[in-house]
Amino acid sequence: MNSKKATRRTALAAGLALALGLGVAAQASAGGPRTVSGSPNDNITRIADFYGAYIDAESDLDNGGGKLARQLRAYYLTPAYQKQLTAWEDRNHADGVLQAQNTPLGWKVTDHGTAGYTEAVITLTWGGGDTTELVVDMTRTTHKIFHIGTKGIGGK
């Protein structure tokens, strides 16, 4: 079979799969197992680890955050920022890490880049597909979060 014919057949098969609703889901399930990697010295990994574990703890139907969420805050946040976060929560009647009253269904961490510290954008996905973005700033030396907000400390 010539390459022109093969290309047309591939395009036809892809179009048929999309028309039948098999598109991305069929392609994703046909791939190999997913992998996730990281390093304890990489701040983006640490921020992703924190948000993943924190959301898991807050989603726990038996515990609803509780002790584990407090322990995660103590480990990943600077002591000074923990106090600021508590004050923010008292004023806003919401979870300061998530800056919301509910727990999201998913999260994504994207490196936002800076020189003296690490800044990451956290995209939280809620029921119905709505998203919100938070900016998280972390020291490069102690690997501790010292700010969470809608803008980073640099105003971005």
Side-chain angles (χ1 to χ4, degrees), residues 56-137:
D56 285 350
E58 288 294 320
S59 298
D60 183 358
L61 297 177
D62 295 330
N63 197 13
K67 183 179 178 183
L68 179 56
R70 288 189 301 276
Q71 290 172 331
L72 289 166
R73 286 176 179 229
Y75 184 77
Y76 283 98
L77 308 178
T78 65
Y81 188 63
Q82 289 178 59
K83 290 177 186 174
Q84 290 176 16
L85 202 59
T86 299
W88 185 94
E89 290 172 332
D90 290 344
R91 284 190 313 275
N92 292 282
H93 307 288
D95 183 301
V97 171
L98 304 172
Q99 300 213 345
Q101 293 177 333
N102 299 322
T103 305
L105 300 176
W107 51 269
K108 178 176 74 171
V109 178
T110 306
D111 189 351
H112 209 236
T114 57
Y117 58 94
T118 299
E119 188 168 276
V121 175
I122 312 302
T123 304
L124 302 174
T125 303
W126 307 94
D130 293 335
T131 62
T132 56
E133 288 186 347
L134 299 175
V135 180
V136 175
D137 296 304

Side-chain angles (χ1 to χ4, degrees), residues 8-23:
R8 273 189 252 151
R9 280 191 181 169
T10 301
L12 179 62
L16 182 59
L18 286 172
L20 294 174
L22 300 176

Side-chain angles (χ1 to χ4, degrees), residues 26-51:
Q27 292 172 355
S29 65
R34 292 179 18 172
T35 62
V36 176
S37 62
S39 166
N41 292 321
D42 178 67
N43 280 355
I44 297 302
T45 299
R46 291 179 73 90
I47 292 168
D49 290 346
F50 170 65
Y51 268 85

